[in-house]
Amino acid sequence: MTYEETCDWLFNQTANYESQGQGGYKASLDNMLKLDEHYGNPHKSFRCIHIGGTNGKGSVSHTIASVLQTCGYKVGLYTSPHLLDFSERIRVNGQPIKQEYVSQFVEEGKDFFEQLGNTFFEIATEMTFCYFKDCDIDIAVVEVGLGGRLDSTNIINPILSVITNVSLDHTRILGSSVEQIAVEKGGIIKDTIPVVIGEASAETRPIFDALAQQCDAPIIYAEDNEEILSAEILKDGSGIYYETAHAGMFKGQLGGDYQIKNTRTIISALKELMNQGYLIEPESANAKIAVQKEISEAFLHVSEITGLQGRWQIIRTSPTVICDIGHNVAAWEQLNKQLETVECNHLHIIFGMVDDKDVYGVMSLLPKKATYYFTKPSTKRGLPEQSLLVFGQQFNLSGQSYATVEEAYSSAIRTAENKDIIFIGGSNYVVADFLKTRV
């Protein structure tokens, strides 16, 4: 098969949550374990850092990978979903997996996958582990796909687990309360392996404490440590200046005030890695300053180093065009604050969602002083643009509907003046559709 035919088979001939929703999710690790055994347990050939959570895990994964790579490690990075191409999910030192490898892996294993009934994500995860082994990486940063306890990535035995936060998302699968979701997310906590918790609440902290105690796992709450002494968000959205307790002063490339919480989580994770002997020179007596230069470089150029896109990403100026993949209530609680503080003459918002999200919860948070371009992302799970228009009217959001993201953007760019801001978001798939128009 060609690479295009391979991707078509992966997305359309296997159970796939991203296109099918709940029907494409398998709540069991049995087939993943059988698949991994078939390939000789490749994940055991390298060290791993496992990162889960509701929001922020992509930014945290990419930035930790950026730091490790800047410090000289050969780093594998596995994230999901992709925005433009499947190969983005699997990277070694920032470079996407080779298309030939993808085609050959699927071609050689297709009969076995079909016999076992593997899902898209199981196949993609095993392909990742095999690729990392074949590339002889030093360490992998592995992002949880969905949940944690029963996620295909949860067969690994990491050196560190990270849970960014917990909020209501994927409630049809993970549970209808934050307590239930915390149990699923906390399923990546392993016996004796340290776990960093980025944010916890009165409801989730007791659950994480209990899970860590059961596993005899040291638990570090990032918000309990004064790692970030100050953070200055640049008004043009081009990043954040940080002063920190253990990583010095540096500029973070990723904008959006929600990144401050992510950075706190990242620094706590880096401190734990240093405690284990990573990142620092063996002869260094001062871990506090050992890698400040590398951390500064990694934060400043995380997108170039790892290929990260879609996190308060500024595409152009005059008018300023920004896209962000925030897609649930917790994300929009932060994005709304950010959009209300940006300096512009007028705000234009290109907005779409998929059907398993809390559309009313998100839309209740959207800025009222904006012109809306409601649209449908090109996925089977996309909500119709006309429905979003009707929902928006209930929340006094004024605008029009457009059949595609491209049409919505074309209208916005014709309408916006130089000092306006155009924001594209509401779903990974909306941002993906937009970025495809830029290729």
Side-chain angles (χ1 to χ4, degrees):
M1 294 187 291
T2 65
Y3 176 70
E4 290 73 19
E5 291 169 338
T6 301
C7 290
D8 181 71
W9 183 85
L10 283 170
F11 285 108
N12 298 308
Q13 302 303 317
T14 61
N16 183 357
Y17 172 79
E18 290 175 25
S19 61
Q20 300 171 12
Q22 189 172 355
Y25 176 75
K26 186 180 295 182
S28 171
L29 288 178
D30 291 346
N31 275 10
M32 185 64 209
L33 289 167
K34 292 176 184 177
L35 180 62
D36 194 57
E37 184 179 3
H38 176 75
Y39 281 96
N41 306 117
H43 67 277
K44 294 182 179 180
S45 66
F46 49 84
R47 293 160 289 181
C48 297
I49 299 168
H50 205 188
I51 300 179
T54 302
N55 291 308
K57 58 184 181 290
S59 296
V60 170
S61 296
H62 281 80
T63 307
I64 290 177
S66 183
V67 173
L68 289 165
Q69 188 177 330
T70 304
C71 288
Y73 292 91
K74 190 173 186 181
V75 183
L77 176 62
Y78 181 43
T79 59
S80 60
H82 64 268
L83 291 176
L84 298 177
D85 186 78
F86 171 81
S87 62
E88 297 169 20
R89 297 169 179 252
I90 308 167
R91 295 177 181 269
V92 172
N93 277 4
Q95 296 303 307
I97 186 173
K98 298 182 185 302
Q99 294 184 356
E100 295 82 3
Y101 191 98
V102 175
S103 298
Q104 183 176 349
F105 183 85
V106 173
E107 184 74 40
E108 293 177 353
K110 184 169 172 286
D111 291 342
F112 183 79
F113 305 150
E114 291 177 333
Q115 179 184 351
L116 196 57
N118 287 123
T119 65
F120 163 84
F121 196 70
E122 288 170 345
I123 297 168
T125 301
E126 191 62 28
M127 182 192 304
T128 300
F129 295 158
C130 289
Y131 187 66
F132 288 172
K133 178 182 179 181
D134 290 345
C135 290
D136 194 25
I137 66 166
D138 298 316
I139 192 166
V141 179
V142 178
E143 179 188 340
V144 170
L146 194 159
R149 183 174 65 92
L150 297 175
D151 187 75
S152 297
T153 63
N154 204 30
I155 64 171
I156 64 176
N157 189 37
I159 60 172
L160 176 67
S161 302
V162 179
I163 301 172
T164 56
N165 52 51
V166 173
S167 60
L168 293 175
D169 199 14
H170 300 297
T171 53
R172 298 177 192 173
I173 292 174
L174 301 180
S176 58
S177 68
V178 290
E179 292 90 347
Q180 290 175 317
I181 295 174
V183 171
E184 296 300 317
K185 302 286 186 186
I188 69 170
I189 298 174
K190 299 293 197 305
D191 288 345
T192 71
I193 303 302
V195 57
V196 171
I197 309 294
E199 292 181 81
S201 64
E203 294 81 14
T204 62
R205 187 178 282 237
I207 292 170
F208 290 138
D209 283 339
L211 291 171
Q213 185 175 10
Q214 290 171 15
C215 295
D216 193 24
I219 187 166
I220 302 102
Y221 288 97
E223 57 193 349
D224 289 352
N225 301 318
E226 295 295 333
E227 289 299 334
I228 298 180
L229 305 179
S230 66
E232 179 188 354
I233 301 171
L234 300 182
K235 291 183 179 181
D236 62 1
S238 64
I240 303 173
Y241 279 110
Y242 295 98
E243 181 183 1
T244 71
H246 287 84
M249 298 180 66
F250 57 86
K251 179 184 177 183
Q253 181 182 35
L254 303 182
D257 60 1
Y258 55 88
Q259 292 294 349
I260 297 173
K261 296 179 180 179
N262 289 337
T263 297
R264 184 177 60 197
T265 303
I266 293 162
I267 294 175
S268 294
L270 295 177
K271 277 183 63 182
E272 180 53 38
L273 290 173
M274 289 180 186
N275 289 339
Q276 296 186 36
Y278 297 93
L279 301 175
I280 60 175
E281 296 295 332
E283 64 274 13
S284 174
N286 191 348
K288 181 176 179 179
I289 63 171
V291 291
Q292 284 188 3
K293 180 180 178 182
E294 288 83 356
I295 289 174
S296 178
E297 177 75 9
F299 269 85
L300 184 59
H301 299 293
V302 59
S303 296
E304 294 85 354
I305 292 171
T306 67
L308 178 64
Q309 297 188 84
R311 276 70 170 183
W312 200 262
Q313 181 178 354
I314 299 176
I315 304 297
R316 57 166 284 178
T317 56
S318 300
T320 299
V321 176
I322 302 169
C323 62
D324 193 285
I325 63 171
H327 55 271
N328 54 31
V329 169
W332 272 95
E333 286 174 345
Q334 301 299 321
L335 284 172
N336 182 46
K337 295 176 185 177
Q338 188 77 11
L339 288 169
E340 287 183 342
T341 59
V342 294
E343 296 181 351
C344 67
N345 281 350
H346 188 68
L347 180 61
H348 306 256
I349 298 180
I350 298 169
F351 182 82
M353 292 190 71
V354 293
D355 60 10
D356 67 337
K357 304 301 177 184
D358 181 2
V359 59
Y360 284 101
V362 169
M363 295 189 82
S364 69
L365 296 169
L366 297 179
K368 301 294 189 290
K369 295 181 180 179
T371 298
Y372 283 85
Y373 304 74
F374 297 107
T375 188
K376 180 181 183 298
S378 58
T379 172
K380 294 177 182 177
R381 295 164 51 220
L383 286 169
E385 67 277 10
Q386 290 289 347
S387 297
L388 287 176
L389 178 63
V390 173
F391 295 153
Q393 290 169 349
Q394 297 177 37
F395 293 101
N396 298 317
L397 306 177
S398 61
Q400 298 182 40
S401 61
Y402 299 84
T404 66
V405 173
E406 185 174 10
E407 290 178 23
Y409 179 68
S410 295
S411 178
I413 204 70
R414 287 196 305 269
T415 305
E417 299 180 353
N418 284 345
K419 294 186 178 180
D420 290 354
I421 286 180
I422 300 173
F423 178 86
I424 302 102
S427 168
N428 290 293
Y429 302 101
V430 171
V431 173
D433 286 350
F434 166 69
L435 291 175
K436 288 173 185 174
T437 70
R438 314 294 299 169
V439 176

